[in-house]
Amino acid sequence: MNLFEFAENIQNYSTDKFMNDLSAELDSNQEVLDLQLSQWDKGEDSNGQVLGYYTKMTEILSGGKKKEGDRYNLLDTGSFRASTYLLPMEKSNDLVFDFDSSDSKTSELIEKIGPSIFGLQDKNIERFTLIAIEKAKQILNTNLKLK
């Protein structure tokens, strides 16, 4: 490939298209979703704080499935976990990612637990960044015909 072919490839591959391609790749990547789910499995929010604890009444109402004093893990909240997805947003000419859920109880959970229910802890942000960089390289190599 010569410089002119490279310039034409860049011209034919817009920033918007790249951002859409990267968003789609990351949103469909199970490892990315697992970063968020792993925090909930531990009963933690994006700040490493406990989401909450089950009460004795919850234990009774759940027939013992949820034990008093155990951390919330969001497993029994309808389709909340199953309908969690990566939400790309443009902020200050940059692509920023957050998580959201299309479950009808999402706003109720955010109100009860707080907005930090979504988002990654620092150690998971580092892993997410590595995944995003690798996906970005693959997308650019393919679409700019670098390899």
Side-chain angles (χ1 to χ4, degrees):
M1 172 186 317
N2 64 39
L3 181 60
F4 297 106
E5 291 169 328
F6 178 71
E8 185 176 325
N9 290 345
I10 288 177
Q11 187 176 23
N12 292 331
Y13 191 60
S14 70
T15 303
D16 286 342
K17 177 72 171 120
F18 168 69
M19 292 174 128
N20 288 335
D21 289 349
L22 182 58
S23 295
E25 277 289 320
L26 293 173
D27 188 39
S28 65
N29 185 302
Q30 187 62 44
E31 186 178 359
V32 168
L33 182 58
D34 286 346
L35 293 172
Q36 178 70 79
L37 298 178
S38 71
Q39 291 172 188
W40 293 339
D41 289 342
K42 292 185 252 174
E44 297 176 355
D45 67 9
S46 61
N47 300 315
Q49 300 298 310
V50 175
L51 295 170
Y53 296 97
Y54 294 120
T55 63
K56 184 64 175 172
M57 183 56 73
T58 303
E59 182 176 344
I60 293 167
L61 291 173
S62 71
K65 287 194 313 185
K66 301 174 185 179
K67 301 288 184 202
E68 177 184 13
D70 284 354
R71 294 178 177 196
Y72 296 166
N73 58 17
L74 308 176
L75 283 170
D76 296 324
T77 54
S79 64
F80 179 77
R81 285 174 63 122
S83 58
T84 296
Y85 60 94
L86 192 62
L87 178 67
M89 297 171 283
E90 188 176 335
K91 284 187 182 176
S92 303
N93 219 17
D94 200 2
L95 187 60
V96 179
F97 294 93
D98 203 353
F99 289 90
D100 200 356
S101 178
S102 57
D103 183 65
S104 62
K105 291 184 180 177
T106 300
S107 58
E108 180 184 326
L109 286 169
I110 290 173
E111 194 172 302
K112 181 178 181 178
I113 297 171
S116 59
I117 192 172
F118 290 115
L120 298 176
Q121 296 169 3
D122 289 343
K123 64 183 176 188
N124 287 335
I125 288 173
E126 291 173 24
R127 180 66 190 138
F128 174 84
T129 301
L130 291 173
I131 295 168
I133 289 170
E134 189 56 40
K135 290 295 180 189
K137 286 180 190 176
Q138 291 171 1
I139 290 167
L140 290 172
N141 283 335
T142 300
N143 288 285
L144 298 179
K145 299 175 177 82
L146 299 174
K147 284 191 173 189

